[in-house]
Amino acid sequence: MLLIYSLYIEYYPNIWILSTNLGKFYTIDYMIINEVSTMIGKRKTTVAEVARCINVKYETIQNLYLDKTQGIKFKILNKLCWYLKCKPNDLLRYVPDENPPA
Protein backbone atom coordinates (compact mmCIF):
# COMPACT_ATOMS: atom_id res chain seq x y z
CA MET A 1 0.00 0.00 0.00
CA LEU A 2 1.37 3.34 -1.01
CA LEU A 3 0.31 6.47 0.90
CA ILE A 4 0.47 9.60 -1.22
CA TYR A 5 -0.37 12.99 0.21
CA SER A 6 0.25 16.61 -0.68
CA LEU A 7 1.93 19.23 1.47
CA TYR A 8 0.28 22.65 1.63
CA ILE A 9 1.76 25.75 3.16
CA GLU A 10 -0.79 28.39 4.15
CA TYR A 11 0.02 31.89 5.32
CA TYR A 12 -2.14 33.99 7.59
CA PRO A 13 -0.89 37.25 9.10
CA ASN A 14 2.23 36.26 11.09
CA ILE A 15 1.38 32.51 11.09
CA TRP A 16 2.58 29.83 8.69
CA ILE A 17 0.60 26.59 8.72
CA LEU A 18 1.92 23.42 7.14
CA SER A 19 -0.78 20.92 6.33
CA THR A 20 -1.47 17.81 4.32
CA ASN A 21 -4.61 16.28 2.95
CA LEU A 22 -4.61 14.37 6.25
CA GLY A 23 -4.94 17.60 8.24
CA LYS A 24 -2.89 20.41 9.74
CA PHE A 25 0.11 19.31 11.72
CA TYR A 26 2.49 22.18 12.40
CA THR A 27 2.30 25.92 12.92
CA ILE A 28 5.00 28.53 13.19
CA ASP A 29 3.85 31.61 15.07
CA TYR A 30 6.06 34.70 15.06
CA MET A 31 6.52 36.81 18.19
CA ILE A 32 7.69 39.92 16.30
CA ILE A 33 4.82 41.62 14.47
CA ASN A 34 5.60 43.75 11.41
CA GLU A 35 3.72 47.08 11.59
CA VAL A 36 5.27 48.74 8.51
CA SER A 37 1.98 48.71 6.60
CA THR A 38 0.20 50.33 9.54
CA MET A 39 2.76 53.13 9.78
CA ILE A 40 2.74 53.78 6.03
CA GLY A 41 -1.06 53.96 6.19
CA LYS A 42 -1.00 56.35 9.17
CA ARG A 43 1.33 58.69 7.27
CA LYS A 44 -1.04 58.54 4.25
CA THR A 45 1.75 57.76 1.83
CA THR A 46 2.42 54.96 -0.65
CA VAL A 47 4.97 52.20 -0.88
CA ALA A 48 6.35 53.76 -4.06
CA GLU A 49 6.75 57.16 -2.38
CA VAL A 50 8.52 55.64 0.63
CA ALA A 51 10.88 53.62 -1.60
CA ARG A 52 11.70 56.66 -3.74
CA CYS A 53 12.32 59.01 -0.80
CA ILE A 54 14.59 56.67 1.15
CA ASN A 55 16.34 55.34 -1.98
CA VAL A 56 15.47 51.65 -1.46
CA LYS A 57 14.15 49.21 -4.05
CA TYR A 58 10.37 49.20 -4.41
CA GLU A 59 10.29 45.41 -4.00
CA THR A 60 12.02 45.65 -0.62
CA ILE A 61 9.46 48.07 0.80
CA GLN A 62 6.61 46.18 -0.86
CA ASN A 63 7.73 42.92 0.80
CA LEU A 64 7.92 44.67 4.17
CA TYR A 65 4.50 46.21 3.58
CA LEU A 66 2.96 42.83 2.69
CA ASP A 67 4.83 41.09 5.54
CA LYS A 68 6.59 38.72 3.14
CA THR A 69 10.06 39.14 4.57
CA GLN A 70 11.85 37.28 7.33
CA GLY A 71 14.12 40.10 8.39
CA ILE A 72 15.13 43.72 7.90
CA LYS A 73 18.53 45.35 7.64
CA PHE A 74 19.30 48.01 10.24
CA LYS A 75 20.17 50.47 7.46
CA ILE A 76 16.68 50.13 5.97
CA LEU A 77 15.08 50.24 9.42
CA ASN A 78 16.95 53.49 10.10
CA LYS A 79 15.76 55.02 6.82
CA LEU A 80 12.16 53.96 7.46
CA CYS A 81 12.23 55.46 10.95
CA TRP A 82 13.64 58.72 9.56
CA TYR A 83 11.07 58.98 6.77
CA LEU A 84 8.03 57.88 8.82
CA LYS A 85 9.19 59.91 11.86
CA CYS A 86 8.86 56.98 14.23
CA LYS A 87 10.91 54.62 16.38
CA PRO A 88 11.80 50.99 15.60
CA ASN A 89 9.23 49.78 18.16
CA ASP A 90 6.54 51.51 16.08
CA LEU A 91 7.50 49.37 13.07
CA LEU A 92 8.17 46.10 14.89
CA ARG A 93 5.98 45.03 17.80
CA TYR A 94 6.93 42.28 20.26
CA VAL A 95 4.15 39.92 21.36
CA PRO A 96 5.19 37.37 24.00
CA ASP A 97 4.54 33.74 23.06
CA GLU A 98 3.08 31.22 25.49
CA ASN A 99 5.99 28.85 24.86
CA PRO A 100 9.52 30.29 24.85
CA PRO A 101 11.57 29.61 21.70
CA ALA A 102 13.73 26.49 21.81
Side-chain angles (χ1 to χ4, degrees):
M1 181 175 167
L2 180 62
L3 177 64
I4 299 175
Y5 61 90
S6 300
L7 177 66
Y8 303 98
I9 302 175
E10 304 170 44
Y11 177 72
Y12 299 99
N14 304 311
I15 299 174
W16 290 91
I17 298 176
L18 305 177
S19 59
T20 67
N21 58 351
L22 302 174
K24 295 177 181 176
F25 64 92
Y26 191 71
T27 62
I28 304 170
D29 189 8
Y30 297 108
M31 296 185 332
I32 304 294
I33 307 299
N34 179 348
E35 297 283 353
V36 172
S37 61
T38 304
M39 291 304 294
I40 289 175
K42 282 183 181 179
R43 298 293 185 250
K44 294 185 170 102
T45 187
T46 64
V47 172
E49 181 68 16
V50 172
R52 186 184 63 75
C53 288
I54 66 174
N55 197 24
V56 174
K57 288 184 180 179
Y58 174 83
E59 292 80 15
T60 302
I61 304 302
Q62 179 75 5
N63 287 338
L64 282 168
Y65 183 85
L66 296 176
D67 200 12
K68 289 186 176 180
T69 184
Q70 293 182 358
I72 183 171
K73 292 183 178 181
F74 287 135
K75 184 177 182 179
I76 294 173
L77 183 62
N78 184 46
K79 289 180 176 187
L80 281 171
C81 288
W82 171 81
Y83 181 76
L84 297 172
K85 295 176 180 60
C86 65
K87 296 179 182 177
N89 63 338
D90 296 328
L91 297 174
L92 304 171
R93 184 169 43 99
Y94 173 73
V95 177
D97 195 5
E98 298 146 5
N99 302 322

